[in-house]
Structures are given as structure tokens and as C-alpha cells.
Amino acid sequence: MPLNRRTFLGTSAAAGAGVAIVGGAAGPAAAHGHGHGHGRPPKRYSFTVMGTTDLHGNVFNWDYFTDKEFDDKAHNDVGLAKISTLVDQVRREKGRHNTLMIDAGDTIQGTQLSYYYAKIDPITAKRGPVHPMAQAMNAIGYDAAALGNHEFNYGIPVLRKFEEQCDFPLLGANALDAKTLRPAFAPYVIKKLRTPHGRDVKVAILGLTNPGIAIWDKANVGGKMVFPGLEEQAAKYVPRLRSMGADVVIVSAHSGNSGTSSYGDQIPYVENAAGLVAEQVPGIDAILVGHAHLEIPEYFVENKQTGKKVVLSEPLKWGQRLTLFDFDLVWEKGRWVVEKAGSQVLNSNTVAEDPKITKMLADEHTKVVAYVNQVIGTSTAAMTTAEAAWKDEPIIDLINVVQAETVKAALAGGEYAALPVLSQASCFSRTAQIPAGNVTIKDAAGLYPFENTLEARLVTGAQIRDYLEFSARYYVQTAAGAPVDTAKLTNADNTPDYNYDAVSGLTYEIDIAKPNGSRIVNLSFEGKAIDPAAQFVLAVNNYRASGGGNFPHVPAAKQLWANSEEIRNTIIAWVQAKGSVDGAAFASVDWRLTRDGSPVF
């Protein structure tokens, strides 16, 4: 008897508990065991918990930025329609009543489908639509989902509406109301699985989200919610769940496994803390890992206090994989005990999309395809990001020109109007392109796939040099004369493309033969060596300005202006206003890679 949803949500935010009975008598998953000395075999029961994470608005196996079926080098597939087919297969094999389905967050942001229902035809409107992700996840039958940091991108009202539309709780034990410090969402849910032995198995699912939300979405959560560390909240809740009779405790954590943070020491919590939770908090059986966009089929972490091994798994992003946690339990001393736990991942490219999901959301898909194909202008020449990770390309200049012009216009007539404006941009996707001829919304959206907004910060020449040195760590040190392979040149120390910034408005060289910290050469402004004390305005996205990537100086720099409009929409409006994009009018080579003064390319 599932708990009434309204009463559950009414009590869960404060108390954090909801109990639901799943299924009827168990079938083939109840295994036969060995004798216990009394001639009778012990009672055994097996069940499976399926998990997804970082779905990022993917329902269909479709790329709205290219407007065709999704494909990559490994021929992965994406989307909940594929996941649904895998889930049905697992339920048929194990018996639906012996399975649970959970998610580890980042659900409602990432595709033009999810953008459309947050911004163009918003779910928050009066008589607004039901979010496609809620429709799909409800149809699949999720039992719980942890909150991801990207859940907060569109503001709390959109998130609350999405929560209301889901037939399952959104969990966040470390998402607290800023004033009362009580949970702002249900911290956990307890599910009961019926066994053939008359004794239910109580499975607790504890949801933990990312402390970085406090920085990355400060504009949306500042003064409203706070996000303490995962370890401290797990240490608070796991013993409570055990004392409430939980036989199995599973953590769904929107947090990677590496133990590192991208926001430095700005907040005293670890961003990627899943492994630390397993190591430091006794009483956890398994952790569904999210946030890092990595694939971890099965990984064991030993708890420091108990020596017990905790199984961790992270399915690949966007619905490319489905994690299966398999638990074998034995009845001992009046309770169920986990005898064995393991995990694996299934690849969604092995199955067809579930027609139940694709038919249900066909209208939404059609609307979004029409939206992304709207023509907003023309381009005199084709531009691409194919080499933008190692060359100053016109397509990245386009972002910087739009940002710099927008900031100049915003500061016009004010006390900072006379200062030169610099701008930063990253190559977010190496497959983005602006074609010659008609330019559509999808072309602009593919160039800027994130919902970042624009800010203006006050910086000095010396700070800009530090900023560029930090950015230049992206390149692998390559001696003068050594061969250069572009496939191995970038992403040093696993730095993602979005954490390498090109800065326009000045000129500089990056000497990749030199060690980190001494690579920026011939840094000049208007043809002269830059004055370390000179003041500049930096047009910068809110992710970088709030500490994303841990770049120096900018988060602490004086904010001169900020905008709530997405940079992507600003680019679209700029193209619409101009009518035609002419790369020759704004493209300039402001930076290049060198070795001992000789250009690499």
C-alpha cells in the first residue's frame, strides 16, 4: 500500500521518512542455501536495485544540437526510452517485486527538450505541461531520485513543480532550509520488499546532493538553502535508518568518487565525496554514484571502522548505462543480513527504445525539434570548433564578441564605462558548428550548451596573467622539437575542455614547452606589454565567476554587473539583430601555442 503522496511530501520534508510496500510474494530470486546445522536451510532472499544518473534531460536517443539520432565514437545510445527497455528486461528476469529503481540526480537540465519545458513552455505556467522527464520516470516506475546540482539551474519554483509532478520523492539529506536548517526535501525513503518467508526486507535509500550548489547556483539558492557535506549528513542519517529497522542502506549520491573539488577552498566540503562516505560512515551497503560523468561498473571501498566492503557503481551519463546492484540476503538472528553485494552496468545501445515512452512523448519531441530548427539569421562562412581546443578559432571569437559587446552596453555611461572589456570563453563541444547560409537556434545552442549567464568583474593586469597561467595548465608539456599529436596535447591532469578559457581583448602566447605557471609569454594590451596594475573588465560566465573550475581571482573580484539571461539566448538575439554573421568582421588571432617563440600551428 503506497503512502499517499500528499501526506508523504507533507511529512517527509521534516521527518524524512516514507515507507512503501513493493510487490507481493517473491519468485525465483529467493535462492536456496546451505544447512545451518539444524537440517533446515537458512532463509535467503535476493533483490536488485537499478540505477541511473546524470540523465540531463535525455528521453529520446536524439541529439537536439545536431537534430539527428545521437551517436558517438563508441556508438553509445542515450535516453530514458532505452533505459525503460532494459528495466523491463531486468524486472521480467528478477520479478518486478524483487527490484527497485533509483537515480542519482541531474535530471531536468542538459537538452533542448528539458530547456523548452523550463523556459519556452514552462511547467510552472498556469495549466502548464508535465515535464517530459517526470512523465518518463513515472512511466518507468522510479522509487526515488537524489537531487543533482543542475536541478537548481532554473530556480527553485521550477524544481518544486518538477518535484510535485514526480510520483516518487526527490531526496536531499544535505539540502537544508537556510533559516531552520531542517531538510528542504525528503532526506530518505524506506521501501519494503516482500519475501516468501513472511519477513519483509526494509531497504532505506538516502539521497545526498552536491555542496557545490551553494556556489554554482548562488543566485537561485543564496539565503534560501544551504548544503553541508555529504559525509556529515550520512553520518547523521545512516545510524538513524539502521535504528528504524533498515536491513539494507543504499546511498544515492550526486557526488563523484575522486575525493576532489573543482571549487577549491571556497566551501569546506568535498565535491566528489562518494568514496569518502563509504570509507567514513559505517552501515552503508551500496552507493549509486553520480555527477562525475564517469563509468564505474563495480568498485569496492573498505569502511575504516568496520572493515566491511561497500560497493559503488556509476552508470555512464545521459542514460547510456543502467547500473544493477544485486543483493543476496540471509536471515540470521532474527534479521536480514547482506551476505553479498555486487554491481554491473548494462549498455543501453543493446536494446531498442521502449515504444511506450516514445509514443507518450512524441508530441513534446516534435515541438522541440520544430523549435530548434527556427532560422535566426545567416552566416557568410562555415565555422567549427573542431580545432578550437588548440587554435584561436572564429567560432569562439563569436562568443567573446557577443559577451564583450553586451557588457560594454551594460556599463555605458557608468563609472566603469571607459575601462577595456576582456572576455572569456571555452570550447564546450568539439563538434559545434555554424554553417554557411541559414543559422538556426540549434546551431547557437550547440555552440553554448550550458545555461550559463553573463557577469562583469573588475580585474587587474596581474590577475589576468594568473588567470591565463591557470587556464594554460590544460596543455600537456611538450618539448621544443618533439612531435605534437593534437589527440594527446590537451586535457592535462584530466582538465575538461570547459575548464580551458581563451580570453579576448588582448594578445598572448602559451609556451607549451614550459612548465605550468610560466607559460604565458608576450602578454600585451593594444600592442604594449600589459601593466600589472591596469584595470580591466572581464566578461565572464556565472559558473566561472562563482568559482567553477577554481580559477584564481575572479570569484573574489568586484562584480560590476550581472544578467539573468542565458548567454546562449544573448548569442541568438545578437544573430537575429545582425541578420548575418560575418566571421571576417570579428575574427582575430589573439592567442597561439608556441615553443621557444615558434608557433606550434
Side-chain angles (χ1 to χ4, degrees), residues 3 43 58 60 105 111 118 191 199 221 258 292 302 315 336 394 404 497 505 512 525 537 550:
L3 204 70
K43 295 170 184 170
N58 285 283
F60 295 84
T111 62
K191 310 295 283 187
R199 304 279 188 157
V221 300
S258 64
E302 193 173 292
W336 288 109
D497 290 348
I512 58 170
F525 175 68
V537 176
N550 201 24

Side-chain angles (χ1 to χ4, degrees), residues 370-394:
Y371 164 73
V372 300
N373 281 295
Q374 287 176 39
V375 174
I376 53 172
T378 59
S379 177
T380 55
M383 296 184 280
T384 167
T385 54
E387 298 188 322
W390 54 87
K391 285 183 187 172
D392 186 349
E393 291 284 12

Side-chain angles (χ1 to χ4, degrees), residues 34 66 68 101 107 110 150 156 181 205-206 223 259 278 296 327 342 365 388 402 441 475 495-496 520 531 547 549 565:
H34 305 289
T66 59
K68 53 183 189 238
M101 180 75 195
T107 306
H150 284 287
I156 291 169
L181 297 185
I205 302 153
L206 176 68
I296 306 172
F327 297 94
H365 176 66
V402 173
I441 282 176
Y475 294 105
T495 303
I520 301 301
D531 176 0
E565 186 64 75

Side-chain angles (χ1 to χ4, degrees), residues 98 263 315 359 426 541:
N98 303 316
Y263 44 69
K359 279 179 190 159
S426 304
N541 70 50

Side-chain angles (χ1 to χ4, degrees), residues 12 23 76 81 98 111 138 214 220 274 298 330 341 421 462 494 532 563 571 573:
S12 65
N76 287 302
N98 303 316
T111 62
N138 290 342
N220 290 326
E298 182 182 63
V330 63
V421 176
N494 295 319
N563 189 7
I571 295 170

Side-chain angles (χ1 to χ4, degrees), residues 60-101:
F60 295 84
N61 185 37
W62 196 259
D63 183 343
Y64 294 95
F65 296 129
T66 59
D67 195 25
K68 53 183 189 238
E69 189 173 313
F70 177 88
D71 197 24
D72 63 10
K73 281 181 192 152
H75 300 300
N76 287 302
D77 287 346
V78 299
L80 278 170
K82 291 262 180 177
I83 291 294
S84 184
T85 303
L86 288 175
V87 168
D88 282 350
Q89 284 182 0
V90 172
R91 283 175 176 156
R92 274 198 302 275
E93 184 193 330
K94 313 272 184 186
R96 179 169 183 141
H97 43 271
N98 303 316
T99 66
L100 294 169
M101 180 75 195

